[in-house]
């Protein structure tokens, strides 16, 4: 079973939203776009833990906090999920409620004209629609919510007034037993509090107990008897015995106590299973101390891995492929290799994984067709897989790390090689130093992307546009004409700069002052890796010859091994903004202006009161 479609109404920051999921899905979007809200909505409709909360929802779960409409009537939170890839057992259990689903059109065929005629067509599968409904109950002065089968819908004329007014409006309840059959597991970000690893109802350990088979009731009974029959009892401590005797003597003057010494005693708990659930703690011993301590005393990374280990046990008990595994930001407090290991395990072993992340080490484990971009257009929220026709699998595999970083950025600046990458970064650092109104590309969220050559730069524009990014491009002047498709791709860039020179080195040496060139050569000639074939003796090289020599030195030491040491050193010699190469400087200033204007618009929209009228022209 897996979630194929999720529709959200009036939940948290989403007034109306629709998200399409793949078998494995990476949810991508900026901060506060709604990634966590999507995960919480999935838990509302599928999760067991939420059922143990009282109330299930509260005021802050309603969009804009408004649980009553303008007339004072309750507003409803609705989360509708469509589940596909049902197992034989699930089809048997839910046979009355499943419908034929067109997986390409993402719709039920019985909602289309003459759709039932295509019931056995390609891409038509069985699907289960379920819905969570929550609202404020005025009579109880409380919030209520539950999950229901969304099919078959009851005939309205067959329902009495009470049924129509009920939470499910006559729908059959999607019970706890049904949810257990779905195998939904949710690993929240920072899920390291005391409840996650306790034995409270709905916790991870409680879930393992329930899935592990029969005998849980006997376990609690035996534990309570063992605590009650401790030998020696806790109250046999000498100091406690004195206190116990004093209390019994004094209390007997006012209360008719049982005629035994045990009429007053001390025990380790309230001797109820509910209290044991609250107080029992998992202890863990880790190196180098090897001393067992409560799990909450472990480091954050160790706790996260402990939580993940328990989740894998649950997955094993549910036989892997039946699990819908939702995981928020698994990278917290974990080193890169563990991030990769955790994510790879989830993608390979779970029936469906839905992940949010800000880590390239996590993101690179997902194929491009599994990346779902979340976006907003006014009050409408949506999430859909990227258009993979612009992303060739081989290209994505070879550039996986760069793509992962680009997915996280606000914008992408496509450059033709490593020297250009270093030059742009260095000029951006210099501009940040020279101008108070300039922000470094790293801080504005611009990802620099190495295309590998000047002819490859245009091909990446449609790819990053498919990711919903602003895309900028820069390359050297070509000696040959672009192909037709390259010209079309160039038009996809938000801005595209082509150098007036054939080679980045020519731009660098022609667009900086002579004193910068001499200062650069004075600095690099001292290096052990200075190219001996281009000797530099300051007194013997005239100013007019500096550009030619500097260009040869830069070309001899370009690439990954020397790029920053030489190109970066040249830019570092610039003492004012005017000293910087104008071609790169002007491009960066244009990008900075566009992104800062966009940020101000976002901030202005966020600061505007909800429902405020638009200013008149």
């Amino acid at each position: 079973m897996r979630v194929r479609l999720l529709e959200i109404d009036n939940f948290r920051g989403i007034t109306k939203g629709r998200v399409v999921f793949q078998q494995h899905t990476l949810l991508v979007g900026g901060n506060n776009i709604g990634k966590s809200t999507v995960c919480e909505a999935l838990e509302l409709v599928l999760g067991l833990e939420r059922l143990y909360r009282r109330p299930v929802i509260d005021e802050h779960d309603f969009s804009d906090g408004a649980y009553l409409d303008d007339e004072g009537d309750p507003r409803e939170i609705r989360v509708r999920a469509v589940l596909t890839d049902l197992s034989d057992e699930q089809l048997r259990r839910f046979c009355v409620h499943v419908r034929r689903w067109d997986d390409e059109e993402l719709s039920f065929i019985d909602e289309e004209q003459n759709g039932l005629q295509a019931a056995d067509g390609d891409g038509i599968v069985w699907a289960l629609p379920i819905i969570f409904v929550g609202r404020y109950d005025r009579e109880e002065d409380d919030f209520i919510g539950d999950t229901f089968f969304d099919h078959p819908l009851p005939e309205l004329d067959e329902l009495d007034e009470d049924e129509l007014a009920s939470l499910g409006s006559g729908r059959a309840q999607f019970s706890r037993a049904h949810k257990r059959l779905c195998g939904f597991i949710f690993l929240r970000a920072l899920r390291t509090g005391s409840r996650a690893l306790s034995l409270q109802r709905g916790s991870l350990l409680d879930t393992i107990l329930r899935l592990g088979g029969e005998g849980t009731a006997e376990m609690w009974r035996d534990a309570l008897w063992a605590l009650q029959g401790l030998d020696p009892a806790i109250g046999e401590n000498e100091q406690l015995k004195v206190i116990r005797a004093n209390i019994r003597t004094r209390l007997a003057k006012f209360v008719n106590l049982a005629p035994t010494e045990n009429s007053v005693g001390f025990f380790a708990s309230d001797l109820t299973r509910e209290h044991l659930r609250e107080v029992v703690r998992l202890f863990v011993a880790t190196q180098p101390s090897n001393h067992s301590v409560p799990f909450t005393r472990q480091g954050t990374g160790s706790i996260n891995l402990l939580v993940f280990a328990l989740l894998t046990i649950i997955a094993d008990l549910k036989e892997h492929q039946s699990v819908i595994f939702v995981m928020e930001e698994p990278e917290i407090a974990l080193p890169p290799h563990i991030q990769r290991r955790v994510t790879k395990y989830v993608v390979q072993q779970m029936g469906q994984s839905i992940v949010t992340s800000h880590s390239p080490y996590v993101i690179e484990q997902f194929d491009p067709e599994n990346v779902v971009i979340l976006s907003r257009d006014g009050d409408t929220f949506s999430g859909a897989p990227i258009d993979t026709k612009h992303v060739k699998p081989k290209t994505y595999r070879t550039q996986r790390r760069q793509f992962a970083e680009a997915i996280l950025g606000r914008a992408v600046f496509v450059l033709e090689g490593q020297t250009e990458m270093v030059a742009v970064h260095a000029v951006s650092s210099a501009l940040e130093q020279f101008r108070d109104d300039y922000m470094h590309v790293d801080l504005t969220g611009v990802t620099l992307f190495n295309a590998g050559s000047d002819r490859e730069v245009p091909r990446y524009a449609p790819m990053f546009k498919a990711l919903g990014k602003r895309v900028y491009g820069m390359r050297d002047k070509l000696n040959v004409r672009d192909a037709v498709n390259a010209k079309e791709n160039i038009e996809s860039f938000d801005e595209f700069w082509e150098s007036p020179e054939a080679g980045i080195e020519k731009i660098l040496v022609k667009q900086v002052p002579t004193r910068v060139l001499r200062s650069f050569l004075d600095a690099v000639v001292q290096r052990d890796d200075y190219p001996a074939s281009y000797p530099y003796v300051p007194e013997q090289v005239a100013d007019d010859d500096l550009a030619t020599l500097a260009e040869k030195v830069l070309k001899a030491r370009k690439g990954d091994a020397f790029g920053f040491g030489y190109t970066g050193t040249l830019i570092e010699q610039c003492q004012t903004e005017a000293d910087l190469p104008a071609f790169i400087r002007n491009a960066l200033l244009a990008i900075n202006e566009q992104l800062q204007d966009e940020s101000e618009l976002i901030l202005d929209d966020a600061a505007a009161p909800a429902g405020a009228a638009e200013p008149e022209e």
Side-chain angles (χ1 to χ4, degrees), residues 554-565:
L554 288 170
K555 285 184 176 180
R557 291 295 179 261
K558 72 183 301 179
D560 294 342
F562 305 99
F564 185 79

mmCIF file with all atom_site columns, all heavy atoms in Angstrom, residues 554-565:
data_model
loop_
_atom_site.group_PDB
_atom_site.id
_atom_site.type_symbol
_atom_site.label_atom_id
_atom_site.label_alt_id
_atom_site.label_comp_id
_atom_site.label_asym_id
_atom_site.label_entity_id
_atom_site.label_seq_id
_atom_site.pdbx_PDB_ins_code
_atom_site.Cartn_x
_atom_site.Cartn_y
_atom_site.Cartn_z
_atom_site.occupancy
_atom_site.B_iso_or_equiv
_atom_site.pdbx_formal_charge
_atom_site.auth_seq_id
_atom_site.auth_comp_id
_atom_site.auth_asym_id
_atom_site.auth_atom_id
_atom_site.pdbx_PDB_model_num
ATOM 1  N N   . LEU A 1 554 ? 47.572 31.714 -15.512 1.00 0.00 ? 554 LEU A N   1
ATOM 2  C CA  . LEU A 1 554 ? 46.247 31.243 -15.119 1.00 0.00 ? 554 LEU A CA  1
ATOM 3  C C   . LEU A 1 554 ? 45.838 29.995 -15.899 1.00 0.00 ? 554 LEU A C   1
ATOM 4  O O   . LEU A 1 554 ? 45.266 29.051 -15.338 1.00 0.00 ? 554 LEU A O   1
ATOM 5  C CB  . LEU A 1 554 ? 45.211 32.345 -15.338 1.00 0.00 ? 554 LEU A CB  1
ATOM 6  C CG  . LEU A 1 554 ? 45.259 33.526 -14.360 1.00 0.00 ? 554 LEU A CG  1
ATOM 7  C CD1 . LEU A 1 554 ? 44.340 34.650 -14.829 1.00 0.00 ? 554 LEU A CD1 1
ATOM 8  C CD2 . LEU A 1 554 ? 44.856 33.075 -12.954 1.00 0.00 ? 554 LEU A CD2 1
ATOM 9  N N   . LYS A 1 555 ? 46.151 29.980 -17.207 1.00 0.00 ? 555 LYS A N   1
ATOM 10 C CA  . LYS A 1 555 ? 45.806 28.805 -18.011 1.00 0.00 ? 555 LYS A CA  1
ATOM 11 C C   . LYS A 1 555 ? 46.619 27.586 -17.595 1.00 0.00 ? 555 LYS A C   1
ATOM 12 O O   . LYS A 1 555 ? 46.106 26.457 -17.589 1.00 0.00 ? 555 LYS A O   1
ATOM 13 C CB  . LYS A 1 555 ? 46.031 29.093 -19.494 1.00 0.00 ? 555 LYS A CB  1
ATOM 14 C CG  . LYS A 1 555 ? 44.974 29.985 -20.118 1.00 0.00 ? 555 LYS A CG  1
ATOM 15 C CD  . LYS A 1 555 ? 45.207 30.149 -21.614 1.00 0.00 ? 555 LYS A CD  1
ATOM 16 C CE  . LYS A 1 555 ? 44.092 30.956 -22.263 1.00 0.00 ? 555 LYS A CE  1
ATOM 17 N NZ  . LYS A 1 555 ? 44.297 31.122 -23.730 1.00 0.00 ? 555 LYS A NZ  1
ATOM 18 N N   . ALA A 1 556 ? 47.862 27.811 -17.239 1.00 0.00 ? 556 ALA A N   1
ATOM 19 C CA  . ALA A 1 556 ? 48.720 26.691 -16.834 1.00 0.00 ? 556 ALA A CA  1
ATOM 20 C C   . ALA A 1 556 ? 48.284 26.101 -15.505 1.00 0.00 ? 556 ALA A C   1
ATOM 21 O O   . ALA A 1 556 ? 48.563 24.928 -15.219 1.00 0.00 ? 556 ALA A O   1
ATOM 22 C CB  . ALA A 1 556 ? 50.173 27.154 -16.753 1.00 0.00 ? 556 ALA A CB  1
ATOM 23 N N   . ARG A 1 557 ? 47.634 26.882 -14.696 1.00 0.00 ? 557 ARG A N   1
ATOM 24 C CA  . ARG A 1 557 ? 47.232 26.432 -13.368 1.00 0.00 ? 557 ARG A CA  1
ATOM 25 C C   . ARG A 1 557 ? 45.716 26.532 -13.162 1.00 0.00 ? 557 ARG A C   1
ATOM 26 O O   . ARG A 1 557 ? 45.241 26.873 -12.101 1.00 0.00 ? 557 ARG A O   1
ATOM 27 C CB  . ARG A 1 557 ? 47.963 27.259 -12.298 1.00 0.00 ? 557 ARG A CB  1
ATOM 28 C CG  . ARG A 1 557 ? 49.456 26.979 -12.244 1.00 0.00 ? 557 ARG A CG  1
ATOM 29 C CD  . ARG A 1 557 ? 49.698 25.533 -11.795 1.00 0.00 ? 557 ARG A CD  1
ATOM 30 N NE  . ARG A 1 557 ? 51.116 25.186 -11.739 1.00 0.00 ? 557 ARG A NE  1
ATOM 31 C CZ  . ARG A 1 557 ? 51.757 24.525 -12.700 1.00 0.00 ? 557 ARG A CZ  1
ATOM 32 N NH1 . ARG A 1 557 ? 51.112 24.153 -13.811 1.00 0.00 ? 557 ARG A NH1 1
ATOM 33 N NH2 . ARG A 1 557 ? 53.031 24.226 -12.563 1.00 0.00 ? 557 ARG A NH2 1
ATOM 34 N N   . LYS A 1 558 ? 44.944 26.176 -14.198 1.00 0.00 ? 558 LYS A N   1
ATOM 35 C CA  . LYS A 1 558 ? 43.494 26.181 -14.062 1.00 0.00 ? 558 LYS A CA  1
ATOM 36 C C   . LYS A 1 558 ? 43.018 24.787 -13.665 1.00 0.00 ? 558 LYS A C   1
ATOM 37 O O   . LYS A 1 558 ? 43.768 23.820 -13.727 1.00 0.00 ? 558 LYS A O   1
ATOM 38 C CB  . LYS A 1 558 ? 42.828 26.629 -15.355 1.00 0.00 ? 558 LYS A CB  1
ATOM 39 C CG  . LYS A 1 558 ? 42.897 25.614 -16.495 1.00 0.00 ? 558 LYS A CG  1
ATOM 40 C CD  . LYS A 1 558 ? 42.288 26.166 -17.766 1.00 0.00 ? 558 LYS A CD  1
ATOM 41 C CE  . LYS A 1 558 ? 40.846 26.562 -17.579 1.00 0.00 ? 558 LYS A CE  1
ATOM 42 N NZ  . LYS A 1 558 ? 40.228 27.135 -18.783 1.00 0.00 ? 558 LYS A NZ  1
ATOM 43 N N   . GLY A 1 559 ? 41.767 24.699 -13.277 1.00 0.00 ? 559 GLY A N   1
ATOM 44 C CA  . GLY A 1 559 ? 41.213 23.404 -12.933 1.00 0.00 ? 559 GLY A CA  1
ATOM 45 C C   . GLY A 1 559 ? 41.096 23.200 -11.431 1.00 0.00 ? 559 GLY A C   1
ATOM 46 O O   . GLY A 1 559 ? 41.410 24.065 -10.622 1.00 0.00 ? 559 GLY A O   1
ATOM 47 N N   . ASP A 1 560 ? 40.669 22.000 -11.065 1.00 0.00 ? 560 ASP A N   1
ATOM 48 C CA  . ASP A 1 560 ? 40.397 21.689 -9.670  1.00 0.00 ? 560 ASP A CA  1
ATOM 49 C C   . ASP A 1 560 ? 41.618 21.811 -8.782  1.00 0.00 ? 560 ASP A C   1
ATOM 50 O O   . ASP A 1 560 ? 41.547 22.239 -7.633  1.00 0.00 ? 560 ASP A O   1
ATOM 51 C CB  . ASP A 1 560 ? 39.828 20.275 -9.546  1.00 0.00 ? 560 ASP A CB  1
ATOM 52 C CG  . ASP A 1 560 ? 38.461 20.163 -10.201 1.00 0.00 ? 560 ASP A CG  1
ATOM 53 O OD1 . ASP A 1 560 ? 37.834 21.211 -10.428 1.00 0.00 ? 560 ASP A OD1 1
ATOM 54 O OD2 . ASP A 1 560 ? 38.031 19.026 -10.492 1.00 0.00 ? 560 ASP A OD2 1
ATOM 55 N N   . ALA A 1 561 ? 42.776 21.397 -9.299  1.00 0.00 ? 561 ALA A N   1
ATOM 56 C CA  . ALA A 1 561 ? 43.961 21.328 -8.443  1.00 0.00 ? 561 ALA A CA  1
ATOM 57 C C   . ALA A 1 561 ? 44.502 22.700 -8.072  1.00 0.00 ? 561 ALA A C   1
ATOM 58 O O   . ALA A 1 561 ? 45.025 22.900 -6.979  1.00 0.00 ? 561 ALA A O   1
ATOM 59 C CB  . ALA A 1 561 ? 45.053 20.507 -9.134  1.00 0.00 ? 561 ALA A CB  1
ATOM 60 N N   . PHE A 1 562 ? 44.370 23.674 -8.981  1.00 0.00 ? 562 PHE A N   1
ATOM 61 C CA  . PHE A 1 562 ? 45.009 24.963 -8.740  1.00 0.00 ? 562 PHE A CA  1
ATOM 62 C C   . PHE A 1 562 ? 44.050 26.147 -8.780  1.00 0.00 ? 562 PHE A C   1
ATOM 63 O O   . PHE A 1 562 ? 44.447 27.266 -8.466  1.00 0.00 ? 562 PHE A O   1
ATOM 64 C CB  . PHE A 1 562 ? 46.092 25.218 -9.804  1.00 0.00 ? 562 PHE A CB  1
ATOM 65 C CG  . PHE A 1 562 ? 47.124 24.139 -9.908  1.00 0.00 ? 562 PHE A CG  1
ATOM 66 C CD1 . PHE A 1 562 ? 47.044 23.169 -10.895 1.00 0.00 ? 562 PHE A CD1 1
ATOM 67 C CD2 . PHE A 1 562 ? 48.165 24.085 -8.998  1.00 0.00 ? 562 PHE A CD2 1
ATOM 68 C CE1 . PHE A 1 562 ? 47.990 22.171 -10.985 1.00 0.00 ? 562 PHE A CE1 1
ATOM 69 C CE2 . PHE A 1 562 ? 49.129 23.087 -9.088  1.00 0.00 ? 562 PHE A CE2 1
ATOM 70 C CZ  . PHE A 1 562 ? 49.032 22.123 -10.078 1.00 0.00 ? 562 PHE A CZ  1
ATOM 71 N N   . GLY A 1 563 ? 42.785 25.875 -9.165  1.00 0.00 ? 563 GLY A N   1
ATOM 72 C CA  . GLY A 1 563 ? 41.864 26.977 -9.449  1.00 0.00 ? 563 GLY A CA  1
ATOM 73 C C   . GLY A 1 563 ? 41.788 28.030 -8.376  1.00 0.00 ? 563 GLY A C   1
ATOM 74 O O   . GLY A 1 563 ? 41.967 29.218 -8.629  1.00 0.00 ? 563 GLY A O   1
ATOM 75 N N   . PHE A 1 564 ? 41.498 27.617 -7.144  1.00 0.00 ? 564 PHE A N   1
ATOM 76 C CA  . PHE A 1 564 ? 41.310 28.625 -6.109  1.00 0.00 ? 564 PHE A CA  1
ATOM 77 C C   . PHE A 1 564 ? 42.619 29.348 -5.801  1.00 0.00 ? 564 PHE A C   1
ATOM 78 O O   . PHE A 1 564 ? 42.642 30.550 -5.603  1.00 0.00 ? 564 PHE A O   1
ATOM 79 C CB  . PHE A 1 564 ? 40.765 27.987 -4.824  1.00 0.00 ? 564 PHE A CB  1
ATOM 80 C CG  . PHE A 1 564 ? 40.448 29.031 -3.792  1.00 0.00 ? 564 PHE A CG  1
ATOM 81 C CD1 . PHE A 1 564 ? 39.283 29.763 -3.866  1.00 0.00 ? 564 PHE A CD1 1
ATOM 82 C CD2 . PHE A 1 564 ? 41.343 29.320 -2.778  1.00 0.00 ? 564 PHE A CD2 1
ATOM 83 C CE1 . PHE A 1 564 ? 38.997 30.750 -2.942  1.00 0.00 ? 564 PHE A CE1 1
ATOM 84 C CE2 . PHE A 1 564 ? 41.061 30.309 -1.846  1.00 0.00 ? 564 PHE A CE2 1
ATOM 85 C CZ  . PHE A 1 564 ? 39.885 31.018 -1.929  1.00 0.00 ? 564 PHE A CZ  1
ATOM 86 N N   . GLY A 1 565 ? 43.712 28.610 -5.808  1.00 0.00 ? 565 GLY A N   1
ATOM 87 C CA  . GLY A 1 565 ? 44.990 29.229 -5.458  1.00 0.00 ? 565 GLY A CA  1
ATOM 88 C C   . GLY A 1 565 ? 45.390 30.340 -6.400  1.00 0.00 ? 565 GLY A C   1
ATOM 89 O O   . GLY A 1 565 ? 45.986 31.331 -5.974  1.00 0.00 ? 565 GLY A O   1
#
